[in-house]
Amino acid sequence: MFHQFGATADSLSKASTLVFRIGTDAHLYDDPDDVSIAPLLDSKFDSEKCEALKRLLALIAQGFDVSNYFPQVVKNVASQSLEVKKLVYLYLLHYAEKRPNEALLSINYFQKDLGDPNPLVRAWALRTMAGIRLHVVAPIVVVAVAKCARDPSVYVRKCAANALPKLHDLRLEENTGGIEEIVGILLNDNSPSVVGAAAAAFASVCPNNLNLIGRHYKKLCETLPDVEEWGQIVLIEILLRYVIARQGLVRESIMASPYSEYLDSEIDGPDRDFAVKEETNVVSIGAYQSQLLQMASKSYLEGPEKYLSQMNFEDKGAFQSGLPKFTSAKNDDVKILLQCTSPLLWSHNSAVILAAAGLHWIMAPKEDLRRIVKPLLFILRSSSASAYVALCNIQVFAKAMPSLFASYSEDFFICSSDTYQIKALKLEILSNIATESSIPVIFQEFQDYVRDSDRRFAADTVAAIGLCAQRLPNVANTCLEGLLALTIPQSLNNDTESSGGDSIVLIQAIISIRSIIKLDPPRHEKVIVHLVRTLDSIKVPTARAMVIRMMGEYNSSGHILPKMLTSVLTYLACCFTKEALETKLQILYAAVKVVLCARGDDLCASKKLLSYVLELAKCDINYDIRDRARVIRKLLTQYLFSFELVEEARYISESKNMSCLLAERLFLEKPKSMSTEPNNYRFYLPGSLSQIVLHAAPGYNPLPEPCSLTIGDSSFGSNIVKGGTHSDLYGVDDSERASGSSDDDSNSSDGSEISEAGSSGNDVGDESGSASEGDENTGLLINFSDVGNAAYANLNGNSEVNDPQSRPNDFGELMSNRALESWLDESPDSSRNAPESSSFQNSSARISVGSLSERVKPKSYTLLDTVNGNGLRVDYVFSSEMSSKSKFVCLEVSFKNCSNEPKEKILLFDEDIEGGQDNSEQALRTNESSSAPHNNDVKVIVPVEEIPCLEPGQSSKKIMEVHFHHHLLPIKLVLRCSGLKLPVKLWPDIGYFVKPLPMDDEEFFRKESQLRGMFEYNRRCTFIDHVRELKDEKGEISLVKDKFLVVCETLGLKMLSNANLSLISVDMPVTTNHDDVSGLCLRFACEILSNSMPCLITVTLRGNCSEPLNTTVKVNCEETVFGLNLLNKIVSFLAEPPL
């Protein structure tokens, strides 16, 4: 009508769109090919740089690759603008893994930003450093995280906690212990937000190191209500695991119900470690409910898979393992945990409510469990997803303890907006919590549900009615009346297919009727007769088959049914050819059962009907029917035929007993009912994903064994450094500690030092390691001298510190010693240079431990296992032999054919070298490259001779020289075997990137005095290898062995077995006690292969000979990064328990 209005509306629409875009960044997504980005990045105005960086991030969000701008973006990391710096950090996080070399250029800027006065800048720098997933910068990132863990800003400390899982994902075994110690520091923080992030880091890094929780348990419980919601969920699980591992289960809780008869409630004693005496047989307490509780308790502790597998091989009431240990609800740890989690039951977050409810379900006394009911019902009023998760857990609670929700049945009535999954769960819960007082109301609801248009839901309702009848026998008759009404054929008799909606309801109704009849068959004879009489009107094959099966199974029950069997079988025989497969099978079985149970005149009629049915089955088109009929005919020959010959009659009489027994066992034996046994149920921890999906999801762990954590574990399991060197190492002064997270326990945080544990050291000892031991006084075991005084005289002398000329490489230039020194803010002070104790400055005794090289046991590492190598196994050990080529490490590689076929043409070579290249040409190229300056093109392996053939069971060894580009990164090689190329990775061991450096004591002390300050690093750990060596065959401390010599030999042997070192001296103060080794000092020296710089190692012991020793390891090395990594490696293998 008015065409101009249409045009105006269109233009108005466009105009309104433009108006809404004003003041937003929507224009950044308009032109992906904008060529003005590069000039803007080089602009001198921060606003233009921000515009360019925003365009780049918009392109990244759209999926475009803009990594070509990486160099231009990296140089802007030094900008003083916070907005530019933040955008640059976001860009670097995205492309750091694709452009690692360029990303390393910005490491120095990150280090500077970590000292920025603005906490946002410090946090951004740390987050970006942790996001650069490169192994070469991992040691620097660990130190940065440790520094930021004590930052005055809460936000920076929280970012430090969030960075720990990223470091852990790099799988750096050398840093595992250090990361765990940082977690312990952050768990003791005063800020709830930091504690929540630290709890998440604990769950990711070291979920089984519960000793860290024990040091701060009460503080964590008190902080729990103030932690952010998602941190509360993780922290609740951690605290629950700790309490169970430390104190055990609560004997007043539902977890102890199956064992209540074994708990002596009258014992007055300490609450903790309340142990239940061991029993081999547990009598069921409440039958079905007791079995459920027992299974839930065992599944929570062991896992459903393990528990069910044990049940398959054990009697239902027997336990092969000991019963769990219990404590009282009045225990201080249990009491404070329940008190601190009670307010969380009314949290705004549904997941927090569920986590708190799960903790109370496991730990709270049974009389206090009702407090979790209303919070769980409150979740049902939230979103469908939250309601479904809550119902999955309520379903378990209702199975194990129906009385808990019995008075809240109306809260589980179906709503029209509920999904099918929620409806099914509510029906099952209603059937579990129904009582005689609430069943009338529930039945009224069920009547409406049966008429629902969703016939699958109606069938589930019918199944729920059957479950109610089984649980409440008094209402079984009422349930049967309702179920029989559903079998009336008016609405189900319209030739409905088995897959139709009404047929599902009919089948389920008959299944429910059958389950009720099983409870008392003679009492329900009329129900079976009613179903048989309506058989002609039931057209669903499955339903007809179930009715016929009931008729055959209960053919001798009552007085009415046996009289009508002949007529019914005659009718079924006439309809046999028209029936479906399942119906034919049940007719055949029913006829057999009737013949086996018939007596008198009925037997003759039944035989004739069975013979007729067998003849029909013999000609059936289905081979299954024909085969079953043939087997039945052979089994029931004596019933079906009469014999006139005497010999045949005698033969039949002899075999009659066997055939009758077999036939009765097959057709008349009642199957065991599995409906009342809870063995098919799977219980997982409340609130876990596994409880929703009903199988062990990735990362699921059952609860720890009760009382498996003892106080002594904390002193042996974690390598905690005690003393005041931690703040000095990371440049944090007292003012920062006061404004940051103050530690209540000085031994667990402020006095903590990073130490590494858990990685196994690589392993060949040094033959020349003890060469300098016996230069003087080789014949004496102990030689008295003033070693200590001489050492400290050298330290206080006027020796000048020389600055060795380092040989920088690509990575060394980026992280120079001076840059790291300025970042760490380490200045040598008197406390660092002074000896640990003045008592060690007295005269010392020189101990000679003899030659240890012959006792060194190299540790073998697998390069290729038999599964991936098609039967070929390749192992390697690091050799103490020195390579003729500079910067190369010698390896001894062993090849073994574990298959039944010979292996031919076995060769290990660099993947960059063609496999068919001549070995001489490879060697020539390697020699040329080794004489050239160091670059990334240097070949990593000196070619070895090819193994022509390895017969089955045969083995061969080769000495291989390898050049690692970095002491943390592996090299990729290719193993060619029988024409196949198999990629393998060869991992380095920093302990063999050095060579022994023999020297005397004076030279050692002189070099040590030159490498003080930032070139000196300390760590502490616990050494326990000597304890086993001192024990005799009975496990007692031997009085014959020289304890000091055993300690020295054990420690020296472990050092030489894991690193290529030279043992300089072993000194012990003369004033030591008989068993006290405090002050025992072992000195080692080595030289870095890459730059020939010396590296000095001093190991000092404290403690009693027969107990674990506190060990202090000191490394003096000018190469900062190398020295830190070597120190971490030494602490790691010293803290390892002996094999």
Side-chain angles (χ1 to χ4, degrees):
M1 180 175 176
F2 299 100
H3 302 284
Q4 66 274 18
F5 291 121
T8 303
D10 186 32
S11 60
L12 287 175
S13 176
K14 295 180 179 179
S16 63
T17 303
L18 294 175
V19 170
F20 285 121
R21 289 163 59 95
I22 296 176
T24 67
D25 292 333
H27 65 283
L28 300 174
Y29 297 88
D30 291 341
D31 187 9
D33 300 326
D34 191 356
V35 296
S36 62
I37 295 179
L40 291 177
L41 289 173
D42 297 330
S43 174
K44 60 181 179 179
F45 300 104
D46 291 337
S47 59
E48 294 181 354
K49 293 180 180 179
C50 287
E51 181 70 15
L53 290 170
K54 288 180 179 180
R55 288 184 180 274
L56 288 178
L57 295 177
L59 293 175
I60 292 174
Q62 292 176 314
F64 292 96
D65 184 11
V66 291
S67 59
N68 54 314
Y69 294 99
F70 200 96
Q72 293 173 285
V73 175
V74 168
K75 67 181 182 180
N76 289 314
V77 74
S79 174
Q80 299 300 319
S81 173
L82 294 182
E83 189 174 3
V84 173
K85 192 180 292 289
K86 182 177 181 179
L87 294 174
V88 171
Y89 282 167
L90 293 175
Y91 181 91
L92 292 179
L93 278 176
H94 191 270
Y95 284 111
E97 292 186 11
K98 294 182 181 179
R99 307 288 291 267
N101 294 329
E102 290 86 346
L104 291 177
L105 296 174
S106 57
I107 293 294
N108 288 334
Y109 293 105
F110 296 150
Q111 297 176 6
K112 293 179 181 179
D113 288 343
L114 286 174
D116 193 277
N118 192 332
L120 291 178
V121 177
R122 299 199 299 270
W124 294 342
L126 178 63
R127 186 168 57 185
T128 307
M129 288 183 68
I132 299 177
R133 307 294 182 88
L134 300 176
H135 288 75
V136 292
V137 299
I140 301 298
V141 179
V142 172
V143 178
V145 173
K147 177 183 178 182
C148 293
R150 298 178 178 276
D151 194 275
S153 172
V154 174
Y155 183 65
V156 177
R157 299 200 301 271
K158 182 178 179 181
C159 289
N162 292 330
L164 292 175
K166 300 177 183 178
L167 284 174
H168 179 71
D169 290 341
L170 292 177
R171 298 292 188 268
L172 297 176
E173 296 180 354
E174 292 81 1
N175 296 322
T176 301
I179 294 175
E180 292 183 5
E181 293 303 323
I182 300 174
V183 172
I185 295 172
L186 293 171
L187 284 173
N188 198 36
D189 200 279
N190 288 332
S191 173
S193 61
V194 177
V195 173
F202 177 88
S204 177
V205 174
C206 50
N208 297 323
N209 190 3
L210 297 175
N211 294 292
L212 293 177
I213 305 299
R215 304 171 201 158
H216 323 295
Y217 173 75
K218 291 186 178 180
K219 184 176 180 180
L220 290 175
C221 290
E222 295 170 355
T223 311
L224 178 60
D226 299 324
V227 176
E228 60 182 357
E229 293 176 346
W230 297 111
Q232 288 174 344
I233 301 170
V234 180
L235 191 54
I236 286 174
E237 181 183 359
I238 294 173
L239 294 175
L240 172 64
R241 293 180 180 276
Y242 169 78
V243 170
I244 293 178
R246 181 68 185 93
Q247 307 293 348
L249 300 174
V250 177
R251 63 171 175 260
E252 295 89 353
S253 69
I254 195 173
M255 298 284 287
S257 297
Y259 318 105
S260 58
E261 59 181 306
Y262 298 99
L263 300 179
D264 189 1
S265 60
E266 297 179 358
I267 293 180
D268 295 328
D271 289 337
R272 69 178 185 87
D273 293 335
F274 180 87
V276 184
K277 66 177 183 178
E278 301 290 339
E279 296 288 344
T280 56
N281 295 304
V282 176
V283 182
S284 63
I285 303 169
Y288 181 71
Q289 295 299 332
S290 178
Q291 291 180 29
L292 280 173
L293 291 175
Q294 177 180 295
M295 183 176 182
S297 177
K298 284 287 186 179
S299 298
Y300 289 161
L301 296 174
E302 300 177 357
E305 287 77 11
K306 181 179 179 180
Y307 176 71
L308 291 177
S309 63
Q310 292 177 354
M311 292 295 292
N312 292 333
F313 299 98
E314 300 175 4
D315 295 335
K316 294 294 186 274
F319 290 94
Q320 299 295 331
S321 60
L323 300 180
K325 296 183 179 180
F326 294 89
T327 185
S328 172
K330 299 179 181 179
N331 183 283
D332 292 338
D333 288 348
V334 176
K335 191 174 181 179
I336 190 175
L337 180 60
L338 294 177
Q339 289 176 351
C340 294
T341 53
S342 295
L344 302 183
L345 291 172
W346 296 103
S347 173
H348 294 288
N349 191 312
S350 301
V352 176
I353 297 175
L354 195 57
L359 184 143
H360 282 257
W361 170 257
I362 295 174
M363 299 299 295
K366 287 181 286 187
E367 57 270 14
D368 296 337
L369 277 180
R370 292 195 175 276
R371 69 177 62 174
I372 73 173
V373 175
K374 290 186 178 180
L376 290 174
L377 297 178
F378 177 77
I379 302 179
L380 301 183
R381 294 172 175 83
S382 56
S383 63
S384 298
S386 299
Y388 176 76
V389 174
L391 285 170
C392 288
N393 290 272
I394 293 175
Q395 176 192 20
V396 177
F397 301 159
K399 281 181 180 178
M401 193 174 180
S403 60
L404 198 61
F405 296 90
S407 57
Y408 299 94
S409 58
E410 294 182 358
D411 291 276
F412 299 101
F413 287 169
I414 307 300
C415 300
S416 58
S417 59
D418 289 340
T419 61
Y420 170 76
Q421 290 79 8
I422 292 179
K423 291 178 180 179
L425 287 172
K426 285 186 175 181
L427 284 175
E428 185 172 356
I429 293 171
L430 284 173
S431 62
N432 285 323
I433 67 175
T435 60
E436 294 184 359
S437 59
S438 63
I439 197 65
V441 181
I442 295 177
F443 275 170
Q444 289 180 0
E445 284 288 318
F446 284 173
Q447 290 176 6
D448 294 334
Y449 302 161
V450 170
R451 293 189 291 268
D452 194 90
S453 58
D454 186 356
R455 305 312 292 165
R456 184 173 57 163
F457 168 58
D460 292 341
T461 305
V462 174
I465 295 174
L467 291 176
C468 291
Q470 295 178 56
R471 290 188 64 253
L472 304 172
N474 294 334
V475 298
N477 292 333
T478 305
C479 295
L480 280 175
E481 292 177 2
L483 294 173
L484 289 174
L486 296 175
T487 61
I488 297 176
Q490 282 82 2
S491 60
L492 305 173
N493 197 20
N494 299 323
D495 297 333
T496 307
E497 296 182 358
S498 60
S499 60
D502 288 337
S503 62
I504 298 176
V505 178
L506 175 61
I507 294 171
Q508 188 59 59
I510 296 178
I511 292 175
S512 299
I513 292 172
R514 181 170 175 266
S515 63
I516 298 174
I517 292 174
K518 280 184 178 181
L519 301 177
D520 191 2
R523 181 183 175 187
H524 302 295
E525 179 195 8
K526 293 183 179 180
V527 178
I528 304 174
V529 172
H530 173 77
L531 291 175
V532 172
R533 287 177 177 174
T534 59
L535 191 60
D536 189 33
S537 60
I538 298 176
K539 302 300 182 182
V540 180
T542 305
R544 289 175 61 86
M546 286 190 292
V547 173
I548 297 171
R549 179 180 178 179
M550 280 191 289
M551 181 195 69
E553 188 173 350
Y554 305 111
N555 64 85
S556 59
S557 300
H559 303 283
I560 304 175
L561 186 60
K563 297 179 181 179
M564 56 186 301
L565 288 176
T566 304
S567 302
V568 177
L569 285 177
T570 303
Y571 161 73
L572 294 175
C574 296
C575 303
F576 184 84
T577 56
K578 301 177 183 179
E579 299 289 350
L581 173 61
E582 57 265 34
T583 309
K584 290 180 180 180
L585 289 175
Q586 294 304 325
I587 292 174
L588 195 59
Y589 296 155
V592 174
K593 293 176 182 178
V594 171
V595 169
L596 292 176
C597 296
R599 298 292 183 270
D601 297 336
D602 295 335
L603 180 60
C604 298
S606 300
K607 287 182 179 180
K608 293 180 181 180
L609 288 172
L610 178 58
S611 300
Y612 178 71
V613 172
L614 290 175
E615 288 296 329
L616 294 176
K618 182 180 178 180
C619 303
D620 196 86
I621 60 175
N622 188 281
Y623 68 90
D624 192 17
I625 299 293
R626 298 195 303 269
D627 292 345
R628 292 173 187 264
R630 188 177 297 110
V631 172
I632 292 172
R633 180 183 293 273
K634 291 294 184 182
L635 286 175
L636 304 180
T637 303
Q638 71 278 9
Y639 285 101
L640 301 178
F641 307 101
S642 60
F643 298 91
E644 297 178 356
L645 298 178
V646 177
E647 295 181 357
E648 292 179 347
R650 184 183 300 111
Y651 172 77
I652 292 300
S653 62
E654 292 175 355
S655 60
K656 181 176 180 180
N657 293 333
M658 183 179 297
S659 61
C660 289
L661 181 61
L662 181 58
E664 291 175 358
R665 178 62 62 90
L666 290 175
F667 296 104
L668 296 183
E669 186 174 357
K670 296 292 189 294
K672 294 182 179 179
S673 176
M674 301 297 293
S675 60
T676 60
E677 295 186 5
N679 296 331
N680 294 326
Y681 295 149
R682 292 179 177 267
F683 293 96
Y684 294 90
L685 291 177
S688 63
L689 174 62
S690 301
Q691 184 58 50
I692 309 300
V693 298
L694 294 180
H695 65 80
Y700 175 82
N701 289 317
L703 293 176
E705 182 182 354
C707 297
S708 59
L709 184 67
T710 58
I711 298 177
D713 292 342
S714 59
S715 61
F716 297 98
S718 57
N719 303 320
I720 307 168
V721 176
K722 300 180 180 180
T725 61
H726 188 87
S727 60
D728 297 333
L729 177 63
Y730 297 115
V732 182
D733 55 17
D734 295 336
S735 61
E736 289 181 340
R737 283 200 300 269
S739 59
S741 59
S742 61
D743 298 329
D744 297 330
D745 185 0
S746 62
N747 289 340
S748 61
S749 58
D750 277 359
S752 298
E753 186 83 30
I754 298 178
S755 61
E756 277 64 21
S759 63
S760 57
N762 294 329
D763 324 336
V764 179
D766 172 35
E767 293 184 359
S768 62
S770 57
S772 62
E773 301 169 4
D775 293 341
E776 299 178 0
N777 304 314
T778 56
L780 299 177
L781 178 64
I782 299 179
N783 178 36
F784 293 94
S785 62
D786 290 335
V787 178
N789 293 332
Y792 294 110
N794 287 334
L795 292 180
N796 297 327
N798 296 324
S799 58
E800 297 179 356
V801 179
N802 299 325
D803 295 331
Q805 298 294 329
S806 61
R807 302 177 184 180
N809 51 27
D810 295 341
F811 184 64
E813 293 176 355
L814 298 175
M815 293 179 294
S816 63
N817 295 329
R818 302 191 184 278
L820 190 61
E821 178 185 8
S822 62
W823 173 52
L824 294 177
D825 194 23
E826 292 184 1
S827 58
D829 53 17
S830 59
S831 63
R832 293 287 297 273
N833 292 331
E836 293 184 2
S837 176
S838 60
S839 62
F840 296 162
Q841 298 183 16
N842 298 325
S843 298
S844 301
R846 174 67 48 80
I847 300 179
S848 175
V849 296
S851 176
L852 298 177
S853 59
E854 299 177 356
R855 300 171 56 186
V856 169
K857 297 180 181 179
K859 183 177 180 180
S860 177
Y861 290 89
T862 300
L863 183 65
L864 183 69
D865 56 21
T866 55
V867 177
N868 297 321
N870 297 325
L872 178 66
R873 181 180 180 87
V874 183
D875 298 325
Y876 67 95
V877 295
F878 285 89
S879 174
S880 59
E881 297 181 3
M882 302 307 302
S883 173
S884 59
K885 301 181 182 298
S886 175
K887 303 179 184 179
F888 276 72
V889 179
C890 289
L891 301 176
E892 182 178 319
V893 186
S894 60
F895 303 83
K896 184 176 182 180
N897 186 4
C898 301
S899 65
N900 298 324
E901 299 177 355
K903 301 294 182 180
E904 300 177 350
K905 297 181 179 180
I906 302 174
L907 179 63
L908 189 64
F909 58 91
D910 184 4
E911 64 177 352
D912 295 332
I913 302 177
E914 295 296 332
Q917 198 171 14
D918 185 71
N919 289 341
S920 61
E921 183 181 351
Q922 296 178 16
L924 178 61
R925 291 193 177 188
T926 304
N927 292 332
E928 292 176 355
S929 61
S930 62
S931 61
H934 175 70
N935 54 57
N936 292 334
D937 296 331
V938 175
K939 299 306 178 184
V940 298
I941 180 175
V942 175
V944 296
E945 295 182 0
E946 181 181 85
I947 301 177
C949 182
L950 272 183
E951 297 296 332
Q954 188 179 2
S955 60
S956 176
K957 292 185 179 181
K958 296 288 183 181
I959 300 297
M960 185 172 62
E961 299 177 57
V962 181
H963 176 267
F964 293 92
H965 293 301
H966 194 271
H967 56 263
L968 296 178
L969 300 180
I971 60 174
K972 297 179 180 180
L973 303 177
V974 176
L975 179 65
R976 187 178 65 192
C977 176
S978 301
L980 299 177
K981 291 185 178 181
L982 306 173
V984 294
K985 281 187 178 181
L986 190 65
W987 289 89
D989 185 358
I990 192 173
Y992 291 88
F993 279 68
V994 295
K995 62 180 179 180
L997 182 61
M999 62 178 68
D1000 56 14
D1001 292 335
E1002 294 183 359
E1003 180 69 13
F1004 184 93
F1005 294 132
R1006 185 183 66 81
K1007 290 184 178 293
E1008 185 181 36
S1009 64
Q1010 297 173 357
L1011 297 174
R1012 294 291 185 180
M1014 66 166 289
F1015 302 131
E1016 181 175 304
Y1017 330 104
N1018 294 274
R1019 297 289 189 275
R1020 294 188 182 182
C1021 63
T1022 302
F1023 183 70
I1024 61 175
D1025 290 32
H1026 65 288
V1027 177
R1028 188 177 67 173
E1029 296 293 333
L1030 289 173
K1031 291 182 178 179
D1032 54 18
E1033 298 179 356
K1034 298 181 180 180
E1036 300 178 354
I1037 300 298
S1038 176
L1039 301 177
V1040 179
K1041 298 181 179 179
D1042 188 298
K1043 298 180 181 180
F1044 296 105
L1045 187 59
V1046 170
V1047 172
C1048 296
E1049 290 181 349
T1050 306
L1051 181 59
L1053 185 62
K1054 192 154 193 178
M1055 291 288 294
L1056 298 178
S1057 298
N1058 290 274
N1060 206 5
L1061 308 174
S1062 175
L1063 179 60
I1064 304 302
S1065 63
V1066 181
D1067 296 337
M1068 180 184 65
V1070 177
T1071 57
T1072 184
N1073 297 328
H1074 179 67
D1075 288 335
D1076 189 9
V1077 296
S1078 298
L1080 183 64
C1081 180
L1082 285 82
R1083 299 182 181 89
F1084 303 86
C1086 59
E1087 186 179 276
I1088 303 176
L1089 292 178
S1090 60
N1091 50 26
S1092 300
M1093 289 185 177
C1095 186
L1096 309 179
I1097 304 168
T1098 305
V1099 183
T1100 307
L1101 302 177
R1102 288 175 179 267
N1104 194 294
C1105 289
S1106 58
E1107 298 176 354
L1109 300 175
N1110 293 326
T1111 306
T1112 301
V1113 183
K1114 181 181 67 174
V1115 174
N1116 296 84
C1117 181
E1118 188 175 356
E1119 281 289 336
T1120 307
V1121 177
F1122 186 89
L1124 283 172
N1125 287 325
L1126 180 60
L1127 176 60
N1128 294 338
K1129 183 68 176 180
I1130 294 173
V1131 172
S1132 175
F1133 64 70
L1134 286 181
E1136 274 187 340
L1139 299 177

